[in-house]
Structures are given as structure tokens and as C-alpha cells.
Amino acid sequence: MVFEGLADKLQGALQKLKSKGKLSEKDVKEAMREVKLALLEADVNFKVVKDFIDKVKDRAVGNEVLESLTPGQQVIKIVNEELTALMGTTQSKITFSSKPPTVIMLVGLQGAGKTTTGGKLGGYLKKSGKRPLLVAGDIYRPAAIKQLQVVGGQLDLPVFTLGDKVSPVHIAKAGVEHAVKHGNDLVIIDTAGRLHIDDHLMEELQNIKQEVKPHEILLVLDAMTGQDAVNVAEIFNEKLGIDGVILTKLDGDTRGGAALSVRAVTNKPIKFIGMGEKLNELEPFFPDRMASRILGMGDILSLIEKA
Amino acid sequence: TKTRQGIADKVDQVLKTYKKVDDELFEEIEEILITSDVGVNTTMKIIEKLRTEAKERKVTEASDLKGLLKEILVEILDYGDAHQLGIHPAPAILLIVGVNGVGKTTSIGKIAHRIKSQGKKVLLAAGDTFRAAAIDQLEIWGNRVGVDVIKHQEGADPAAVLFDAIQSAKARKIDVLICDTAGRLHNKKNLMNELGKVSKVLEREYGNATKDVLLVLDATTGQNAIQQAKTFKEVVDINGIILTKLDGTAKGGVVLAISSELNVPVKLIGVGEGVNDLQVFEPKSFVNALFGDDI
Ligand SMILES: Nc1nc2c(ncn2[C@@H]2O[C@H](COP(=O)(O)OP(=O)(O)OP(=O)(O)O)[C@@H](O)[C@H]2O)c(=O)[nH]1
Ligand SMILES: Nc1nc2c(ncn2[C@@H]2O[C@H](COP(=O)(O)OP(=O)(O)OP(=O)(O)O)[C@@H](O)[C@H]2O)c(=O)[nH]1
Ligand SMILES: [Mg+2]
Ligand SMILES: [Mg+2]
């Protein structure tokens, strides 16, 4: 990949600076160009990149260079710290209702991974003692209900469906009632993929929300999403008020800059990541790991840690 | 369409603000391309070319720059006759590949419908034996458009499904066989090898058929699409791209990068989930839509 060697490039950009005094504006500016390009190549949103660079610049200029670090390492250290801060510094979990069932609704664009993730999440939380019910709220996509049933079957989780002739709002409501009756303390509602600009289908989600008052509305987002991730997240958040994000398909080799953008713009935490197609491949999200992934700078960080 | 109005407006706005061609103007254009997922490398190349051409042709008015930019973009995307779907002469086979959830199965339904209404005999092969209910999904599409589907059980060997489908296509004198495959990330070696195996069966059993291997790309994908295209191209000989989900707000600018770096033409675009939401890719309209239709 083009920017694999970001750390090297930064070192190069700052190599000329031999004295261990303060970082000058010019030195930082040059280094920041490399960081900017790396972030853009990683699909971090353009506006987010600009803000981020300004922030790092402010911090870096005039910063005392630590004895043990080269100026390049110093800048990377600041970049990494700011990046991690932006991603959210702590791990963020699902909040369960004190009055079960806890209702989780999964929303997002077509093909993002909602149905698969619904199953994964159910399986994951079942392990911690929950009794999840999966609710088949996608009446549009061919075989969407069957897909959820197969997934539920593989995980030994019950799946609630009313077929595809009933409105998703009604299905959601009936699903929650079913859970109450059958002692399921967790309801995970799968919804059809939709475009954020599809007003009609966005309204459908609003109606589901109003009807069942989910405790968590999670946006399922494909980690490979490019510059548009921000629009998508912003509008889903605006229209629905999301509580967090699940980032899927991180088992690929994408840098996953969308994560950073979405977090920066909506200020909502990323709660889980999808690491494969198998139903146990869901993991809690760690902000610091994502930061290094975006810049591709694992090596330099361990270097800095040792220093 | 509403999709690309955003970028068109932006360019117009920029060009209005800057009456004269100067560095700042180029920087603004650079921004616009990057925010459309064109990518840093390709954007730099485009800007470089734009600068040179502007100088050569003595373009000094900002407004004239737009036409020039469009010319350059069309040139990158235009592959002449290569945008045609490779289904002539019959028999033909289309192998549809791509990463997870991009729109392979849906596109197959749409393509089947399109070719069938041109009077061709079409058959589908349910080569995704892995994903939950993938076979059911293809069958529903088959029913919807009135085309048969050759399938095995979930978990079966995709190469075996294709083998059967090819025999069936021969026996039934099918014009176009369209083969679905499971979504796979390009960095998964074993899954890519499996695809290689499928491709070998195709060569061996249907060597005389006209062959088109189409990579489906989601227009919302960022720079990873380039890596996807590169890796898939190494394993199966991709000769076209289907760019889906252009009905959203994503611009699909990454195909500019792919066209310019990898020499693969876009053939079809997906603009919705309905059976008719498939269009032939036309470089000029794509670029025109990117910048507004007024010029
Ligand atoms: N590699 C990988 N594939 C995933 C992951 N999550 C989901 N997928 C795959 O992505 C594709 C789409 O997943 P679905 O769960 O059907 O997505 P969806 O959002 O429900 O799709 P629609 O209902 O059509 O909007 C499938 O092939 C899944 O197997 C992941 O974390 N990694
Ligand atoms: N808005 C929109 N949605 C699309 C388009 N093409 C496909 N989709 C939707 O995207 C989702 C995924 O489509 P599929 O055809 O299942 O994708 P796939 O590549 O076969 O997925 P896997 O087999 O799981 O890898 C479905 O919800 C489709 O309806 C398009 O052009 N526009
Ligand atoms: Mg689904
Ligand atoms: Mg499919």
C-alpha cells in the first residue's frame, strides 16, 4: 500500500532538523502534509482531516522535543494521541435496561452487515447469560427473513417473524411483546438496508423507534466506506438519534478511516467490530488499535513506547 | 440525478468564486475530487494533467477549466467498445465476483432481466453456497424475472455447481449463463483460491463460450476498492466493473482511480434495488452527471 511507510516518511520529512530544540512551524507543516495524505488514503473524511491536522499542528509547534525521541517520532506520538482521543479513549459497551427486555435496533445502508451482525451480537450476548430474541424486520430484501432464520438456527437463537406482508413497525412491536411473554430479556431487531436519503424508509425507522422505544439504535457501517461515511452517519443520527456504531468487515485490508470520520462527526462511540463472516467473529472495539491501523504505524509506536 | 448534484454544485460554486485560473483554484478542484473518493494519487495525476493542458491551451478563465476537466475525466473512463457486456457470440458466461454485500446477487437478477427481455435464453448458477439463504435469494430473483436457477445444497463446492450449470446450459442451448459467487474479501487467500478453482472449471468446461468476468463494486467504497480490483484481477481475469448503489450520495469516484490505474472499464451501474435499476455505463453521462448536465 502506498502509505505503508508513513512513519518513515515522517522521519524523512523531519530529518533535516538535527537540533533537539522546539519543533518549528515549517517542520511540522511538512510532516503534516504526509499525515494528511495518509489519512485521506485511509478514507478519513476530508473535513475531518483538516480539523485534525490543525489541532495536531497547534499542539506540535513549539513543543519541546523529548530527549529520547527524534522530532519525527515526536510528531507521530502527538498524532497518535490525538487520533486515539478522537476515536474515544475508552471502550464503550451496550447498556442494558433495568426493565427488560433491552431492545436493540440495527440500522444501516444496504449490504453493510446488519443481519449477520444481529446474529453475531445475539450469540455474543447469549454467552454472557442473556436470552436474546432476533426479530426479522426486513420485509423487502429477497430471503432476508430466511437468512436471519438460518443465522438464528446456527446460533440456537429464536427468531421472530410475521412474514413479509406485515409492516416492520408492527413486526417490531409484536416481537417485543413476544419477548416479554417468552422471557427473552434481549430483543435484536434486524431492519432492511436503506439509503439515508430515502425519506420514506427513514420514516419507517422513526416509526419503529416510536413504537418500541429501543434502548440502543446501532448504525451498522461497512469499514470500507469512503468519504460518504460522514453523510450516512450524520443523517442516520439526525433522523434517528443513534447510540453507537458497529463497524463491519474489518477483517479486510481497509485502513478504515470511516471509523474516525463517523466518530468525529457524530461523537457516537464505535461499540463492536465485525472481523469475519463467521458468527463468532464480533469483537469489542478498542480505539487505540484503530488509530494505529488508520495510519499504519504499528512499528513506530512500539519504538516510541520503548523510548 | 440527485446523486451527483452535490459535486456539480460545488464545482460551479468554486468556478464562480475564482474568476481566474490560479493555484488556489486547482487546490479547490483537488479537494472536490478527493471528497468524491477519487483518491490522492489519481487526483494528483488529474490535476497535473489539468495544469499542463490549461497552460498549453492557454486557458485562463476559470469557467473554461470545467470543460477541460471533464474532457480529462471522460478520457480516463472511456474504453470505447469495451463497455459492452461480453455476451456475443452465444453461448456466453458471466462470472460475477466481489467482496461481501456489494450487490452481486441483486445485479445478477437485474442483468438476467435485461438480457432476457432482449430475447436471450438465460440460466443462473447459485455459486454462493456459503452465505445464509444466498441460494434462496437468487431463486427469488430467478422467479421474479422468470429464469431457472441451477443449485446445490448450502455448503456444497461452488466449482461443482458451476460444472453442473455449464452442462445444463449446453444441454438447454442457453445463450447466457450467469454465475453468482459468494462475497469474499480479497485478502482471504483460501477464498480467492476457491475462486481460482471456479475459474478453472469454467475454462476447462466452457472454453468455447464468450466469457465476461465482472467485479461488482459498491459506489460507497473508498480507496480499498483499488486493492479489491487489483487482487481480484490477479486471480480471475476481470474484464469489467459493475458499480452499484449509485442512487445514494456516494459519487463512486474511485472508479476513476481504477480505470486509470488498472485498465478495467465500468460496464454497468446499479441505481436501486428494483429489477430495472441497472444502466449501461456511459463515461460522458457519468462525468456530466458528476458536474451537472449544463455543459
Ligand atoms: N468479511 C466479512 N463479511 C461480513 C462481515 N459482516 C457481514 N459480512 C458479510 O457481508 C455481507 C452482507 O451482510 P448482511 O448481514 O446480509 O448485510 P445486511 O446489512 O443485512 O444487508 P441488507 O439486509 O441487504 O441491507 C454478507 O456476505 C456477510 O456474510 C464481517 O465482519 N466481515
Ligand atoms: N440502493 C441500492 N441497493 C442495492 C443496489 N444493488 C444492490 N443493492 C442492495 O444491496 C444489498 C446487498 O445486495 P446483494 O445482491 O445481496 O449483494 P451481494 O454482493 O450478493 O452480497 P453477498 O452475497 O452477501 O456478498 C441488498 O439489500 C440489495 O438490495 C443498488 O444499486 N442500489
Ligand atoms: Mg439484512
Ligand atoms: Mg450474494
Side-chain angles (χ1 to χ4, degrees), chain A residues 109-112 114 116 138 140-142 147 192-195 249 277, chain B residues 97-108 110 128 131 134 137 141 180-184 216 218 243-248 269-274 277-278:
Chain A
L109 297 183
Q110 288 95 345
K114 295 172 293 302
T116 310
D138 179 358
Y140 306 104
R141 169 172 168 167
Q147 185 188 359
R194 67 203 71 215
L195 294 172
K249 308 180 198 175
E277 292 189 76
Chain B
V97 302
V99 301
N100 307 85
V102 287
K104 293 175 292 298
T105 308
T106 308
S107 297
I108 289 171
K110 296 176 188 173
D128 181 357
R131 214 211 57 212
Q137 186 189 0
W141 272 106
D180 195 10
T181 61
R184 70 198 76 220
V216 182
D218 182 331
L243 187 63
T244 60
K245 308 186 195 176
L246 268 174
D247 46 326
I269 59 174
V271 292
E273 299 184 80
D277 294 328
L278 184 77

Side-chain angles (χ1 to χ4, degrees), chain A residues 61-95:
Chain A
V61 174
N63 206 329
E64 298 279 344
V65 174
L66 296 175
E67 282 290 321
S68 52
L69 300 179
T70 69
Q73 289 171 328
Q74 180 82 0
V75 172
I76 295 169
K77 187 165 176 283
I78 296 172
V79 167
N80 187 53
E81 281 168 11
E82 287 295 330
L83 211 52
T84 310
L86 245 184
M87 300 294 315
T89 37
T90 51
Q91 203 194 320
S92 181
K93 300 189 170 146
I94 301 271
T95 29

Side-chain angles (χ1 to χ4, degrees), chain B residues 72-90:
Chain B
I72 292 172
L73 298 186
V74 168
E75 200 182 308
I76 293 174
L77 292 168
D78 196 347
Y79 280 79
D81 289 341
H83 294 288
Q84 302 282 331
L85 206 53
I87 53 172
H88 301 287

Side-chain angles (χ1 to χ4, degrees), chain A residues 64-253:
Chain A
E64 298 279 344
V65 174
L66 296 175
E67 282 290 321
S68 52
L69 300 179
T70 69
Q73 289 171 328
Q74 180 82 0
V75 172
I76 295 169
K77 187 165 176 283
I78 296 172
V79 167
N80 187 53
E81 281 168 11
E82 287 295 330
L83 211 52
T84 310
L86 245 184
M87 300 294 315
T89 37
T90 51
Q91 203 194 320
S92 181
K93 300 189 170 146
I94 301 271
T95 29
F96 295 101
S97 167
S98 53
K99 205 173 147 277
T102 299
V103 179
I104 301 175
M105 174 164 134
L106 300 179
V107 301
L109 297 183
Q110 288 95 345
K114 295 172 293 302
T115 307
T116 310
T117 305
K120 286 179 176 178
L121 193 59
Y124 182 89
L125 295 172
K126 186 183 171 188
K127 279 199 196 119
S128 62
K130 297 277 176 231
R131 292 183 303 280
L133 175 73
L134 305 179
V135 174
D138 179 358
I139 60 168
Y140 306 104
R141 169 172 168 167
I145 299 174
K146 179 77 192 293
Q147 185 188 359
L148 192 68
Q149 284 171 331
V150 172
V151 165
Q154 285 169 6
L155 292 161
D156 202 14
L157 293 176
V159 176
F160 179 84
T161 163
L162 291 177
D164 59 5
K165 305 285 183 286
V166 181
S167 97
V169 181
H170 184 74
I171 295 169
K173 185 168 171 249
V176 174
E177 283 164 3
H178 182 94
V180 171
K181 234 185 266 162
H182 293 81
N184 298 106
D185 54 3
L186 177 68
V187 177
I188 299 174
I189 306 175
D190 183 27
T191 64
R194 67 203 71 215
L195 294 172
H196 49 299
I197 51 169
D198 186 330
D199 290 334
H200 174 69
L201 285 180
M202 288 306 281
E203 203 182 305
E204 181 187 278
L205 289 181
Q206 290 167 338
N207 292 338
I208 298 179
K209 176 181 179 181
Q210 204 163 27
E211 191 65 48
V212 302
K213 311 232 161 18
H215 302 92
E216 297 255 358
I217 300 180
L218 300 177
L219 175 69
V220 179
L221 189 79
D222 186 328
M224 296 179 278
T225 313
Q227 296 286 324
D228 208 38
V230 158
N231 280 330
V232 173
E234 236 174 355
I235 296 180
F236 268 98
N237 189 36
E238 219 174 82
K239 301 224 157 136
L240 277 179
I242 60 171
D243 300 288
V245 176
I246 299 182
L247 209 59
T248 61
K249 308 180 198 175
L250 263 171
D251 45 322
D253 56 7

